[in-house]
Amino acid sequence: MRALFVVLKPLCFLALLGYCPSATIRPKEGWQVYSSAQDADGRCICTVVAPEQNLCSRDAKSRQLRQLLEKIQNMSQSIEVLNLRTQRDFQYVMKMESQMKGLRSKFRQIESNRRTLLTKNFQELKGKMNELQPLIPVLEQYKTDATLISHFKEEIKNLSLVLTAIQEEIGAYDYEELQQRVLGLEGRLRNCMNKLTCGKLMKITGPITVKTSGTRFGAWMTDPQASPKNNKVWYMDSYTNNKIVREYKSVSDFVSGVELRTYNLPFHWAGTNHVVYNGSLYYNKYQSNIIVRYSFESGRVMTQRALESAGFHNVYPYTWGGFSDIDLMADELGLWAIYATNQNAGNIVISQLDPLTIQVLNSWNTEYSKRNAGESFMICGTLYITNSHLTGAKVYYSYSTKTSTYEYMDIPIHNQYFHMSMLDYNARDRALYGWNNGHQVLFNVTLFHIIKTDDES
């Protein structure tokens, strides 16, 4: 998580389940992926479940191959010992050869002068024979080693035949080819993981309390479109009668209260459902259905546009009120507005907005009453709605803009401080930002993914 290193300090890891070298990979297989910003211990998690969860590690062929490889390794070590022994004994043989040549010369001298040199040469010959005596057990050891080496050669020959047969059964791959295949598949999987964007919400954990400040109602946020080095935090206290936005360089500075800059907006805001997106603040202008786009870089309003037919000023708020009629949010797919209209009988309308012009690009009418919603947030083009802003709240309903279908859900969310007045998803951090009764909190989300890949083998 790039914007929250100071608070979360995650350690990311990857778990592969049901995956083995001998598994056959078919074209367009599906990898099922659960990704989570952090687990209960503060670590980033991404668990991958392969499409076929076989038990190849306990497969008979794999076990037999492993046993044979271990046997060959043991034999190789024994042969290495024999090789060292042979090198040692070779020194004795060289010495024996030299001594034998010396004996041959002595015998010739004896032949030429038997009488005068017999006694002297006999003593020398006896001494040489005594020196050669230790070579006799060496030669006996050579005979034993030769028999053992012959036995090893025969065993290796038999093992090679068995290995060849097993290799043909599993698809004519040798060990190195299988190893390269595994590395290649793991590389492809990691590339897929790096490209993960969208998924279905499965679980919400937390919250982590980042800071306690302000009134019961407010909003705080980071920019999901910012660069990895830009971890600025923006803070907007209260749901009305305020125009001051406080900017902090990082989450650490936010916790410490070290302000980088303050902005005095030209209009008061309504509600707490603002969003910072690509360097601009989007908020609902007080007592209107007008959406304002304010640029932090230029310090001025870039665009403002009325959201046609949208109710405002507590006509269709969330269950807690607070002029929360229009909820602006962003996810992996862009900028969104959540509101209700008379034409849709007070039920929630989802509109995707052009970030530059604030024009509505497309809209979806749901059948969920805006007044019965506690809070809502978008993830990957799907709107998730909680059934309350109080203790016991849960994500109860979701609507997919991709399929124009809805689903009832039951995902608990721990409302630690009893009153939630702001809940927004940040796609860069994979976390929910919340304002929980004067506490700025973060919730972790776990998403479910299915990735389709083409076989490159």
Side-chain angles (χ1 to χ4, degrees):
M1 297 175 60
R2 291 165 288 188
L4 305 174
F5 281 143
V6 176
V7 179
L8 303 181
K9 297 182 180 177
L11 173 63
C12 294
F13 63 92
L14 180 67
L16 299 179
L17 305 178
Y19 182 69
C20 68
S22 59
T24 301
I25 307 300
R26 297 190 299 271
K28 293 187 177 180
E29 63 188 2
W31 296 98
Q32 302 177 14
V33 183
Y34 290 89
S35 71
S36 180
Q38 64 166 350
D39 66 2
D41 297 323
R43 300 172 299 186
C44 287
I45 291 182
C46 202
T47 302
V48 181
V49 183
E52 294 183 5
Q53 298 187 29
N54 54 41
L55 300 177
C56 61
S57 61
R58 288 179 283 178
D59 185 86
K61 294 184 180 65
S62 298
R63 184 169 60 252
Q64 188 176 4
L65 274 175
R66 186 172 63 254
Q67 292 172 346
L68 291 173
L69 288 172
E70 290 174 356
K71 195 169 185 179
I72 289 175
Q73 290 173 353
N74 292 336
M75 292 175 64
S76 298
Q77 292 174 357
S78 299
I79 291 174
E80 181 64 24
V81 172
L82 288 175
N83 184 50
L84 294 173
R85 185 187 300 165
T86 301
Q87 291 179 1
R88 180 199 65 189
D89 294 344
F90 183 70
Q91 303 299 322
Y92 285 103
V93 174
M94 294 294 291
K95 183 178 180 181
M96 182 178 68
E97 183 180 8
S98 175
Q99 290 174 341
M100 291 296 290
K101 288 180 180 179
L103 284 174
R104 188 179 300 136
S105 176
K106 292 295 181 182
F107 276 118
R108 286 174 181 171
Q109 291 178 15
I110 291 171
E111 286 292 330
S112 63
N113 193 352
R114 292 182 181 181
R115 292 181 180 179
T116 58
L117 299 176
L118 182 58
T119 302
K120 182 181 178 182
N121 287 336
F122 179 77
Q123 293 298 328
E124 291 181 3
L125 180 61
K126 185 177 180 180
K128 293 294 183 181
M129 291 301 293
N130 289 335
E131 290 181 9
L132 291 174
Q133 189 71 25
L135 293 177
I136 294 175
V138 172
L139 295 175
E140 292 297 327
Q141 185 65 50
Y142 264 119
K143 292 180 182 179
T144 304
D145 289 350
T147 303
L148 187 57
I149 291 175
S150 176
H151 174 72
F152 279 160
K153 285 184 177 178
E154 187 65 26
E155 186 113 8
I156 289 175
K157 181 179 179 181
N158 294 335
L159 287 174
S160 297
L161 294 175
V162 175
L163 284 172
T164 301
I166 294 177
Q167 212 170 43
E168 291 176 354
E169 281 188 52
I170 66 174
Y173 290 110
D174 62 25
Y175 179 77
E176 290 185 1
E177 288 174 333
L178 289 173
Q179 189 71 11
Q180 290 301 316
R181 187 173 178 80
V182 170
L183 293 175
L185 290 171
E186 287 180 348
R188 288 171 53 198
L189 181 58
R190 288 191 177 93
N191 288 337
C192 286
M193 296 303 300
N194 291 334
K195 297 176 183 178
L196 278 183
T197 53
C198 282
K200 180 180 179 181
L201 180 66
M202 302 298 293
K203 184 179 180 182
I204 300 174
T205 55
I208 297 170
T209 302
V210 177
K211 188 176 182 179
T212 301
S213 64
T215 64
R216 294 183 65 194
F217 319 100
W220 73 292
M221 64 214 81
T222 61
D223 188 347
Q225 293 291 301
S227 67
K229 294 182 180 180
N230 182 350
N231 297 312
K232 291 180 179 179
V233 175
W234 291 273
Y235 176 91
M236 302 168 68
D237 190 18
S238 187
Y239 63 86
T240 187
N241 294 326
N242 199 347
K243 298 192 296 180
I244 303 300
V245 180
R246 305 184 188 280
E247 182 180 274
Y248 301 85
K249 187 176 181 180
S250 63
V251 174
S252 178
D253 283 357
F254 173 61
V255 173
S256 302
V258 181
E259 291 184 18
L260 178 65
R261 186 177 174 184
T262 59
Y263 300 87
N264 192 354
L265 301 177
F267 314 111
H268 288 88
W269 63 71
T272 59
N273 306 118
H274 333 294
V275 66
V276 174
Y277 188 77
N278 199 24
S280 293
L281 170 68
Y282 297 81
Y283 70 97
N284 179 204
K285 185 178 180 181
Y286 181 59
Q287 289 188 332
S288 76
N289 59 5
I290 294 174
I291 299 173
V292 178
R293 176 194 167 208
Y294 178 86
S295 169
F296 287 123
E297 182 178 4
S298 66
R300 62 187 182 90
V301 172
M302 305 301 292
T303 315
Q304 52 180 318
R305 186 181 299 275
L307 193 59
E308 188 176 351
S309 302
F312 62 93
H313 204 61
N314 272 346
V315 173
Y316 296 120
Y318 287 129
T319 54
W320 67 274
F323 306 143
S324 56
D325 305 71
I326 298 175
D327 191 349
L328 300 168
M329 55 186 71
D331 70 353
E332 292 85 351
L333 304 185
L335 185 66
W336 304 84
I338 308 302
Y339 56 99
T341 64
N342 290 332
Q343 292 85 343
N344 197 36
N347 294 324
I348 288 177
V349 177
I350 306 169
S351 290
Q352 188 167 18
L353 306 178
D354 184 302
L356 296 179
T357 64
I358 319 182
Q359 289 182 319
V360 174
L361 301 176
N362 204 350
S363 290
W364 295 261
N365 292 334
T366 76
E367 297 179 357
Y368 199 97
S369 170
K370 180 72 163 54
R371 284 182 168 273
N372 290 333
E375 272 291 343
S376 68
F377 52 90
M378 294 287 294
I379 300 179
C380 301
T382 296
L383 179 69
Y384 296 93
I385 300 174
T386 68
N387 61 348
S388 173
H389 66 284
L390 301 172
T391 302
K394 62 183 178 181
V395 176
Y396 180 72
Y397 178 95
S398 68
Y399 187 94
S400 169
T401 59
K402 181 178 181 181
T403 60
S404 298
T405 58
Y406 67 89
E407 177 184 354
Y408 287 100
M409 313 183 77
D410 188 6
I411 301 176
I413 179 168
H414 181 44
N415 192 338
Q416 183 170 348
Y417 302 107
F418 317 116
H419 189 287
M420 191 75 65
S421 61
M422 170 253 177
L423 191 64
D424 272 332
Y425 173 71
N426 187 294
R428 185 180 75 163
D429 301 331
R430 291 280 177 90
L432 292 173
Y433 284 60
W435 191 290
N436 197 184
N437 203 7
H439 300 80
Q440 291 74 55
V441 299
L442 287 170
F443 293 89
N444 175 53
V445 298
T446 299
L447 305 180
F448 173 72
H449 309 259
I450 295 181
I451 306 174
K452 296 295 183 181
T453 61
D454 292 329
D455 187 17
E456 297 173 359
S457 59

